[in-house]
Amino acid sequence: MTETIETDVVVVGGGPCGSTVATLVAGQGHRVVLLEKERFPRYQIGESLLPSTVQGICRLLGVSDELEAAGFPLKRGGTFRWGVNPEPWTFAFGISPKFAGTASTAYQVERMKFDQILLDNARRKGVDVREEHAVNDVLEEDGRVCGVTCTDASGVRREIRAKYVVDASGNTSRIHVKVGGKRQYSEFFRNIALFGYFLGGKRMPEPVSGNILAVAFEHGWFWYIPLSDELTSVGVVLHRTRWSASAATASAR
């Protein structure tokens, strides 16, 4: 027998987008069920935040103190070796009057820790968070979506019926296909990245030691992101055609 659960909003995906919308909606007094297919903490790439996220959205969510206590590197801006000038140049968020004073910084974060903070906060704010619940399909009645079906880690199947369904399951989502949606990706951004985490990487001098460093070269660009005093994310981004050419050259050798 399939269990049926009635709610106001069902959110698919427990990453920053899903946990944020679930928390904000629950804060308005609505019943929210959040379905996440994995068990947190789980690895996820994407570590460099902006002031509008940290000083704006995270304050609305009520997690500012937790983020500060987590000890994430403070990000004051970015440092680039980009363009015709071979010397690195730096910009600071604080140069904008909209990000003056304490609003002029962000964090570099380990997503495993950051996402866990946001998901736990959603629980505390009244969201019914259900991890290891994989969404299988959408429910439709009278021409509109009215919920989803899901299966938990033990194989129990459930119907979650709701007034609204939010798909926050990321770029690998297939939910939109179920309702006739189609994604069109910009060819300019259809790139490939190769990255890894390294211990003991050097740091730029203060006050920019927590900045992201981005370095362009002829066929792409590198990132260098400090995630803690010891841990650094390093990656290279290439267009798919250039990556294929590089791989073919390497194979020939």
Side-chain angles (χ1 to χ4, degrees):
M1 178 180 293
T2 300
E3 179 186 1
T4 300
I5 298 171
E6 299 282 347
T7 189
D8 295 321
V9 178
V10 58
V11 177
V12 182
C17 179
S19 58
T20 294
V21 68
T23 301
L24 294 177
V25 172
Q28 297 297 312
H30 303 291
R31 299 171 299 164
V32 183
V33 174
L34 184 152
L35 304 173
E36 165 56 47
K37 67 178 181 180
E38 298 186 51
R39 169 66 61 179
F40 279 30
R42 55 89 175 95
Y43 173 77
Q44 186 72 21
I45 190 175
E47 310 98 345
S48 198
L49 304 185
L50 295 172
S52 56
T53 300
V54 174
Q55 310 296 346
I57 296 173
C58 289
R59 288 188 183 279
L60 289 174
L61 296 175
V63 296
S64 297
D65 290 343
E66 287 182 80
L67 293 182
E68 183 177 358
F72 296 129
L74 196 64
K75 176 183 175 185
R76 302 182 186 279
T79 299
F80 292 82
R81 185 176 175 182
W82 207 288
V84 296
N85 188 346
E87 293 300 316
W89 52 274
T90 295
F91 78 90
F93 296 130
I95 196 172
S96 168
K98 294 184 178 181
F99 292 124
T102 58
S104 63
T105 59
Y107 292 116
Q108 313 280 18
V109 300
E110 290 182 67
R111 283 284 303 277
M112 291 180 69
K113 298 177 181 178
F114 179 70
D115 291 12
Q116 185 76 68
I117 289 172
L118 297 186
L119 192 66
D120 289 343
N121 181 63
R123 283 193 181 92
R124 289 195 303 271
K125 299 297 173 62
V127 177
D128 180 359
V129 175
R130 299 184 177 225
E131 297 178 76
E132 296 182 291
H133 277 61
V135 172
N136 308 313
D137 206 345
V138 297
L139 300 172
E140 294 185 73
E141 287 181 357
D142 300 324
R144 71 180 303 272
V145 173
C146 61
V148 299
T149 62
C150 63
T151 305
D152 69 14
S154 61
V156 176
R157 183 179 171 87
R158 294 181 173 86
E159 286 189 355
I160 314 293
R161 292 186 164 269
K163 299 174 184 177
Y164 298 97
V165 175
V166 177
D167 180 10
S169 53
N171 67 313
T172 61
S173 169
R174 295 296 177 265
I175 295 177
H176 67 287
V177 178
K178 302 287 187 180
V179 293
K182 183 178 180 181
R183 291 176 174 173
Q184 291 185 322
Y185 295 95
S186 167
E187 284 297 321
F188 183 79
F189 291 110
R190 296 191 74 175
N191 302 319
I192 293 176
L194 178 67
F195 68 95
Y197 284 4
F198 296 85
L199 294 174
K202 293 182 179 180
R203 295 289 178 261
M204 293 184 289
E206 293 292 352
V208 298
S209 63
N211 278 14
I212 181 174
L213 173 63
V215 179
F217 61 100
E218 183 180 0
H219 301 301
W221 63 282
F222 290 96
W223 77 70
Y224 191 93
I225 302 174
L227 300 180
S228 70
D229 290 341
E230 288 294 320
L231 191 64
T232 306
S233 172
V234 183
V236 60
V237 179
L238 297 170
H239 191 268
R240 292 175 301 156
T241 54
R242 176 50 56 181
W243 181 269
S244 300
S246 301
T249 302
S251 299
R253 292 175 182 173

